[in-house]
Amino acid sequence: MINFEIDQELLKELYLQKVEEHLQEIEMEVFFMDSKQLATYLNMSWNTIVSHLLYDEKFPKVRLGSKWLFNRKEVQEFMEKYYLEVRNNGGDILKYKRKL
C-alpha cells in the first residue's frame, strides 16, 4: 500500500507562485500601457518621465484625448538606446539632456 502526504501550505505557496508568474506573462503581452503602467514598467515617477522622456520627439507615445498610451515593445527599444546614451554621457539621467 502506498501513502501520500501533501503539505498544504507548500502546495498553496507553489500554486500562488505559478499564478503570479502567469499574471506577469500576461502583463508582458499587453500592447499599450497607460501612464501608471509605464511608470511602474520603467520604475520611474511620472514627473521624471514627463521631464526627461515624454516630450522627446523620438519617445514612442500616442495621445487619446487626455490619456497617453505607450507601446511596450517600442518603449523597451527606446529605453535600451536611451540607457546607453545616458551611460556613455556621464550616467546621470537627471543631468543628461538628449541632443534633438
Side-chain angles (χ1 to χ4, degrees):
M1 181 173 197
I2 298 175
N3 288 326
F4 289 100
E5 286 189 35
I6 297 176
D7 183 338
Q8 294 292 328
E9 287 301 313
L10 180 58
L11 183 61
K12 181 179 177 182
E13 185 178 318
L14 289 172
Y15 174 79
L16 292 174
Q17 179 182 353
K18 290 295 180 184
V19 168
E20 180 64 28
E21 288 172 8
H22 185 66
L23 289 173
Q24 287 176 359
E25 287 174 15
I26 291 171
E27 186 176 290
M28 290 305 293
E29 293 174 4
V30 171
F31 190 74
F32 281 121
M33 298 179 286
D34 63 18
S35 57
K36 285 184 182 181
Q37 291 167 319
L38 179 68
T40 299
Y41 180 67
L42 296 179
N43 196 27
M44 294 180 171
S45 72
W46 179 244
N47 288 338
T48 299
I49 292 168
V50 170
S51 297
H52 299 282
L53 300 172
L54 187 65
Y55 295 106
D56 183 327
E57 290 178 8
K58 295 181 181 179
F59 189 72
K61 64 200 173 280
V62 293
R63 191 158 190 146
L64 179 62
S66 63
K67 187 174 187 172
W68 288 103
L69 298 174
F70 309 92
N71 178 293
R72 183 181 294 275
K73 256 187 195 176
E74 290 179 6
V75 168
Q76 181 176 353
E77 290 169 6
F78 176 90
M79 290 307 294
E80 287 170 0
K81 292 174 189 172
Y82 186 77
Y83 170 81
L84 290 174
E85 287 178 23
V86 170
R87 193 177 72 186
N88 292 333
N89 288 283
D92 188 340
I93 288 177
L94 299 179
K95 293 180 182 176
Y96 177 71
K97 289 292 180 191
R98 184 180 190 133
K99 296 171 190 160
L100 302 174

